[in-house]
Amino acid sequence: MSALEGPTVAIRGRVLLGDDREAEELWVRGGRVSLTRPSAQGTNMRVLEGWALPGLVDVHCHIGLAADGAVPDEEAEKQAVADRDSGVLLIRDAGSPLDTAWVHERSDLPHLLRAGMHLALPKRYLRNYGLELESPELLPAAVRTQARRGDGWVKIVGDWIDRALGADGDLRPLWPDDLLAEAVAVAHAEAARVTVHAFATETIDGLLAAGVDCIEHGTGMTADHMAEAAERGIAVTPTLLQVGQFENIAAQADGKYPVYAERMRAMHARRYQQVRDLHEAGVQLLVGTDAGGTISHGRIADECAELVAAGIPASEVVAMASWRARDYLGFGAVVEGSSADLVVYPADPREDIEVLRHPTAVILRGTVYPATS
């Protein structure tokens, strides 16, 4: 190997590659990882020192979505850049009204797995966010369309407030169990996995029976639900930043929808206990900010800090937000020849989760970007 063919980046210190995998050095050459010491150094090779780990993963993020619905491509690009600069280098987009397939062609933007559009019913989700089906019977066909539109995932809205009930308005499931099961089967036949927005307890039995792959929020899951999810390998994304807004949502509903307000307030009050219970039950937890809509992008460190506040050890949260999420989404471990997607920190985030707020370097496909801190 000549000097011109040598690595462009060397990372020295502690490279965290997995639960039981570490290295003292790692090199980047041609945008790829090398774990083998090179015989020659690259021209103008950059040396980075500190604690490095595979790029963070936001498994519940909405590129192309803002409070009022879809945004222009230019704004979606800014969202993706904010995520990248926070250390998020892989995103599972959990539903967006904007077709963001163009992100795949941008080497400077995070790897993206799209779930197509949210699938909901009229007046049973946020306006302009998803595809509102005229009747529940259309769900299986819509799932097939979104499975073919996305990147291996489909997002279904499992429950929402039913305002037609007047003062008794509360969270109610959107879909009959048989149609939901049929829709999940359709997605699996298209080699796509299904994740479902679910706040309410009443929604979960149908989701488990249908064989969904992932549950978003999971605020209404009981101990029995958690045990079954753990046994069947169904992951849950707690989205604590989003659940942290439930008190404000309840305040807005007071008076007009008192039943709904009481439920949202109760879920907010026990949000940390809910996450502890999920973790102790052995449910695989994923880290997702729910960025887009009312939550700004680039807040992965905030979500991780919330999980630690809930009682999950920082070492577990770091693993959940990095190599374990990569594996869950099919990106696998960082090995020789992997895409060089890494984040470098000045200290060990497993010891102090606040370190995630201060990356010293973000490396995406071998290119070093300035980190925000």
Side-chain angles (χ1 to χ4, degrees), residues 66-84:
D68 296 325
V71 301
D73 287 353
E74 294 78 9
E75 182 61 29
E77 176 185 7
K78 292 178 181 177
Q79 295 174 344
V81 168
D83 291 322
R84 180 201 70 195

Side-chain angles (χ1 to χ4, degrees), residues 11-33:
I11 299 175
R12 294 171 182 163
R14 298 281 294 280
V15 184
L16 313 178
L17 299 172
D19 287 324
D20 300 308
R21 294 180 63 227
E22 291 188 16
E24 294 181 353
E25 294 181 294
L26 178 148
W27 294 267
V28 177
R29 177 175 176 268
R32 298 286 171 177
V33 165

Side-chain angles (χ1 to χ4, degrees), residues 249-327:
I249 295 172
Q252 294 171 13
D254 275 334
K256 192 170 185 180
Y257 302 109
V259 177
Y260 170 72
E262 181 179 0
R263 189 200 294 243
M264 298 299 283
R265 193 165 275 123
M267 292 190 296
H268 176 267
R270 77 174 313 275
R271 65 194 186 281
Y272 289 160
Q273 183 65 54
Q274 183 78 354
V275 170
R276 286 195 297 275
D277 290 347
L278 285 162
H279 184 252
E280 291 171 3
V283 176
Q284 180 174 5
L285 297 182
L286 304 172
V287 183
T289 63
D290 208 353
T294 59
I295 296 175
S296 59
H297 288 258
R299 295 190 62 189
I300 192 72
D302 291 336
E303 183 69 27
C304 288
E306 279 288 279
L307 288 164
V308 171
I312 311 301
S315 58
E316 282 289 291
V317 174
V318 169
M320 288 158 43
S322 179
W323 53 84
R324 290 184 193 168
R326 284 175 53 93
D327 183 65

Side-chain angles (χ1 to χ4, degrees), residues 159 170-173 199-203 219-220 246 250 257-269:
D159 56 43
D170 195 7
L171 295 171
R172 293 288 184 269
F199 288 160
T201 300
E202 301 92 318
T203 310
T219 45
F246 280 13
Y257 302 109
V259 177
Y260 170 72
E262 181 179 0
R263 189 200 294 243
M264 298 299 283
R265 193 165 275 123
M267 292 190 296
H268 176 267

Side-chain angles (χ1 to χ4, degrees), residues 304-353:
C304 288
E306 279 288 279
L307 288 164
V308 171
I312 311 301
S315 58
E316 282 289 291
V317 174
V318 169
M320 288 158 43
S322 179
W323 53 84
R324 290 184 193 168
R326 284 175 53 93
D327 183 65
Y328 176 79
L329 292 176
F331 273 63
V334 172
V335 296
E336 188 76 23
S338 298
S339 177
D341 305 318
L342 304 133
V343 191
V344 184
Y345 297 94
D348 190 345
R350 298 172 301 178
E351 299 294 329
D352 180 2
I353 203 67

